[in-house]
Amino acid sequence: MSAVAMRKKVQRKFKMRGYAVKVDAVDAIISFASQFSNDEDQDEALNLVLDQLEHESLKSSIIDKEPAQRVVNLLMEAMAVAEDESPGAVSQSTALRVIDAFVIPKFNYNPIKKIFYAHLGPLPIHGEASAKTALYRDRFLLLSQRLSRDEYFSRPAFDTEMAHLGSCEISPIQSLVGQTRRRWVMGIISQLEDGHFFLEDLTASVEIDLADAKITTGFFSENTIVVAEGEMLLEGVFKVFTCGFPPLEDRDKSIKALSGQDFFGGGILTKEETLRLAELEKRAVNDMFVILSDIWLDNEEAMRKLEIVLNGFENEKVVPTLFVFMGNFSSHPCNLSFHSYSSIRSHFGKLGQMIATHTRLKEQSRFLFIPGPDDAGPAAVLPRCALPRYVTEEFQQHIPNAIFSSNPCRIKFYSQEIVFFRQDLLYRMRRSCLIPPSTEETNDPFEHLVATITHQSHLCPLPLMVQPIIWNYDHCLHLYPTPHTIVLGDRSEQKAFTYTGITCFNPGSFSNDGTFVAYRPCTREVELSALPE
């Protein structure tokens, strides 16, 4: 049916019920009815609008845009609910799920039975001393069980001459006593004495000498877990010849070993559901995420840049599915010396007004906010909870469906798993390095950073004195099994890098250099974008 015929049909139907419809109201009604393909469904949609109008307290029989749009919105919401509840249906709300760090399930590994089991007890924010010990033990066991499945480091099934040629069995550190030949060990680098570094596992610790060690790609700092080849010297020091991170494991292999346990927090899916969602994900060619980091709401230049970005996407044929705004949201740290929380609250209100003026973005896009390291919050520890309600209340009056989540947070998009983390991690990792990173494979610091966090299966493998972590919630920073995409919001230069099939990128600092990223989940394509200076 042509647009003219449809317009006449609307006016005729409403006239029969005693209504006169204004032009802008007709447009709103047509936009709703045109979602249905055949004439019968369109007639039914128009009847639904008319029936719903009878329940509205109208001041006159002349219908303008406001009551028409209100009725259309009610019907759209009802359709969305019905679609969600129907078996086998996947709507936008179910396709995109945001997972807060504090609801991610925790699993413990039993090295005797060699299985993971869910932690069922309470997880207090202020953990006991044993929780700190458990933090390191859990990290070590996570990588140890992963390494046990690696063919290169696994113990040969039969003790033959050929079996020794291609295998490097890991020895407990305790067994190094009295040994002089070369051994492979796995442990966490610790500074048990000032200026002296040790390698620890669950059995013992030994002082190490890394002066002549040949290392692999990555940042080797205190708290990182390494696999090292070396030999014991007479003075009781383990001389390291080769040192590297535990090798990565294929995601599918990890999932198979977990026996259907949900480490990500997005729910357990059957094989058929996973395949169906993967197929729907491939068809979602119009879905796009726009990620911006460092949006200083108290900076006029940054807000001017943001309005340019919003204007640009408002005029696109298909608007983005999701906008991800990562902190910091203020040019000054919100700490104890900061006394302008009311100004941040009003700046968020102005941001809500700005977004609300872009009608298509407000109605069709979702907005996710992730706090930065210097934003308002209870403490500078990880994981950080969502921005306080006091700060965001005025914004939510304009954009009620906005999502305020933790840092880090996770997104399940159909079958794809995406992790978002806002932290100036690159600078801290480089400052904490014990030895200069290897330049054999790459000179790019961002590539070294990606190799470090993926091999460590942890977003922030820094010493706790450099970056405090809530002991009972360290599992929220784990990257196991490896997600499909990792977004590292950092003040450093904008970068994108695919490492062993994992898409990793840094959107850059929007307020400093106007950079941001447009990400297409269906193809995992990363578009590095920037506003012209």
Side-chain angles (χ1 to χ4, degrees), residues 114-133:
K114 296 185 178 182
I115 59 169
F116 283 96
Y117 60 93
H119 180 90
L120 301 176
L123 288 174
I125 295 294
H126 302 287
E128 298 179 355
S130 59
K132 185 178 181 181
T133 307

Short mmCIF file of all heavy atoms in Angstrom, two decimals, residues 114-133:
data_model
loop_
_atom_site.label_atom_id
_atom_site.label_comp_id
_atom_site.label_asym_id
_atom_site.label_seq_id
_atom_site.Cartn_x
_atom_site.Cartn_y
_atom_site.Cartn_z
N LYS A 114 39.78 -32.50 40.33
CA LYS A 114 39.99 -31.83 39.04
C LYS A 114 38.67 -31.37 38.41
O LYS A 114 38.39 -31.60 37.23
CB LYS A 114 40.74 -32.74 38.06
CG LYS A 114 42.16 -33.06 38.54
CD LYS A 114 42.94 -33.86 37.52
CE LYS A 114 44.37 -34.09 38.04
NZ LYS A 114 45.19 -34.84 37.07
N ILE A 115 37.86 -30.70 39.25
CA ILE A 115 36.59 -30.14 38.79
C ILE A 115 36.38 -28.76 39.42
O ILE A 115 36.94 -28.44 40.47
CB ILE A 115 35.39 -31.05 39.15
CG1 ILE A 115 35.31 -31.26 40.67
CG2 ILE A 115 35.45 -32.36 38.39
CD1 ILE A 115 34.02 -31.90 41.12
N PHE A 116 35.58 -27.95 38.74
CA PHE A 116 35.14 -26.67 39.29
C PHE A 116 33.80 -26.89 39.98
O PHE A 116 32.96 -27.65 39.50
CB PHE A 116 34.97 -25.62 38.19
CG PHE A 116 36.27 -25.03 37.70
CD1 PHE A 116 36.89 -25.53 36.57
CD2 PHE A 116 36.86 -23.97 38.37
CE1 PHE A 116 38.09 -24.99 36.11
CE2 PHE A 116 38.05 -23.42 37.92
CZ PHE A 116 38.66 -23.93 36.79
N TYR A 117 33.60 -26.20 41.09
CA TYR A 117 32.31 -26.25 41.76
C TYR A 117 31.91 -24.83 42.15
O TYR A 117 32.75 -23.98 42.46
CB TYR A 117 32.36 -27.16 42.99
CG TYR A 117 33.36 -26.76 44.05
CD1 TYR A 117 32.99 -25.93 45.12
CD2 TYR A 117 34.69 -27.19 43.98
CE1 TYR A 117 33.91 -25.55 46.09
CE2 TYR A 117 35.61 -26.82 44.95
CZ TYR A 117 35.21 -26.00 45.99
OH TYR A 117 36.12 -25.62 46.95
N ALA A 118 30.61 -24.56 42.12
CA ALA A 118 30.10 -23.22 42.40
C ALA A 118 30.27 -22.87 43.87
O ALA A 118 30.05 -23.70 44.75
CB ALA A 118 28.63 -23.13 42.01
N HIS A 119 30.67 -21.62 44.12
CA HIS A 119 30.79 -21.12 45.48
C HIS A 119 29.39 -20.74 45.96
O HIS A 119 28.74 -19.88 45.38
CB HIS A 119 31.73 -19.92 45.52
CG HIS A 119 31.91 -19.33 46.89
ND1 HIS A 119 32.91 -19.75 47.75
CD2 HIS A 119 31.22 -18.37 47.56
CE1 HIS A 119 32.82 -19.07 48.87
NE2 HIS A 119 31.80 -18.23 48.78
N LEU A 120 28.93 -21.34 47.02
CA LEU A 120 27.55 -21.15 47.48
C LEU A 120 27.45 -20.25 48.71
O LEU A 120 26.37 -19.81 49.07
CB LEU A 120 26.90 -22.49 47.78
CG LEU A 120 26.83 -23.48 46.61
CD1 LEU A 120 26.25 -24.81 47.06
CD2 LEU A 120 26.03 -22.90 45.45
N GLY A 121 28.55 -19.98 49.37
CA GLY A 121 28.52 -19.19 50.59
C GLY A 121 28.43 -17.70 50.31
O GLY A 121 28.43 -17.26 49.15
N PRO A 122 28.36 -16.89 51.37
CA PRO A 122 28.30 -15.43 51.19
C PRO A 122 29.62 -14.87 50.70
O PRO A 122 30.69 -15.47 50.90
CB PRO A 122 27.98 -14.93 52.61
CG PRO A 122 28.52 -15.99 53.53
CD PRO A 122 28.33 -17.28 52.79
N LEU A 123 29.55 -13.71 50.03
CA LEU A 123 30.76 -13.03 49.54
C LEU A 123 30.77 -11.60 50.09
O LEU A 123 30.39 -10.65 49.40
CB LEU A 123 30.77 -13.01 48.00
CG LEU A 123 31.05 -14.34 47.30
CD1 LEU A 123 30.89 -14.18 45.80
CD2 LEU A 123 32.47 -14.82 47.63
N PRO A 124 31.21 -11.43 51.33
CA PRO A 124 31.22 -10.09 51.92
C PRO A 124 32.25 -9.19 51.23
O PRO A 124 33.30 -9.67 50.76
CB PRO A 124 31.59 -10.34 53.38
CG PRO A 124 32.30 -11.66 53.38
CD PRO A 124 31.69 -12.46 52.27
N ILE A 125 31.95 -7.90 51.16
CA ILE A 125 32.89 -6.95 50.57
C ILE A 125 34.19 -6.90 51.38
O ILE A 125 35.29 -6.86 50.83
CB ILE A 125 32.25 -5.54 50.48
CG1 ILE A 125 31.06 -5.55 49.52
CG2 ILE A 125 33.27 -4.50 50.03
CD1 ILE A 125 31.41 -5.82 48.08
N HIS A 126 34.06 -6.91 52.70
CA HIS A 126 35.23 -6.89 53.57
C HIS A 126 35.55 -8.33 53.96
O HIS A 126 35.01 -8.86 54.94
CB HIS A 126 34.98 -6.02 54.80
CG HIS A 126 34.61 -4.61 54.46
ND1 HIS A 126 35.52 -3.70 53.98
CD2 HIS A 126 33.43 -3.95 54.51
CE1 HIS A 126 34.92 -2.54 53.76
NE2 HIS A 126 33.65 -2.67 54.06
N GLY A 127 36.41 -8.95 53.17
CA GLY A 127 36.72 -10.36 53.40
C GLY A 127 37.71 -10.56 54.53
O GLY A 127 38.42 -9.64 54.95
N GLU A 128 37.76 -11.78 55.03
CA GLU A 128 38.74 -12.14 56.06
C GLU A 128 40.11 -12.33 55.43
O GLU A 128 40.25 -12.33 54.21
CB GLU A 128 38.29 -13.42 56.77
CG GLU A 128 36.96 -13.28 57.49
CD GLU A 128 36.53 -14.58 58.14
OE1 GLU A 128 37.23 -15.59 57.95
OE2 GLU A 128 35.49 -14.57 58.84
N ALA A 129 41.13 -12.50 56.27
CA ALA A 129 42.50 -12.65 55.77
C ALA A 129 42.63 -13.85 54.84
O ALA A 129 43.42 -13.82 53.88
CB ALA A 129 43.46 -12.77 56.95
N SER A 130 41.86 -14.89 55.10
CA SER A 130 41.93 -16.09 54.25
C SER A 130 41.50 -15.81 52.83
O SER A 130 41.91 -16.51 51.89
CB SER A 130 41.06 -17.20 54.85
OG SER A 130 39.70 -16.76 54.96
N ALA A 131 40.65 -14.78 52.65
CA ALA A 131 40.19 -14.44 51.30
C ALA A 131 41.33 -13.92 50.43
O ALA A 131 41.35 -14.13 49.22
CB ALA A 131 39.07 -13.40 51.37
N LYS A 132 42.29 -13.24 51.04
CA LYS A 132 43.45 -12.75 50.28
C LYS A 132 44.31 -13.91 49.81
O LYS A 132 44.80 -13.93 48.68
CB LYS A 132 44.26 -11.79 51.14
CG LYS A 132 45.42 -11.13 50.38
CD LYS A 132 46.17 -10.13 51.25
CE LYS A 132 47.29 -9.48 50.46
NZ LYS A 132 48.07 -8.53 51.29
N THR A 133 44.50 -14.90 50.69
CA THR A 133 45.26 -16.09 50.31
C THR A 133 44.53 -16.84 49.19
O THR A 133 45.16 -17.31 48.23
CB THR A 133 45.43 -17.01 51.52
OG1 THR A 133 45.98 -16.27 52.60
CG2 THR A 133 46.33 -18.18 51.20
#
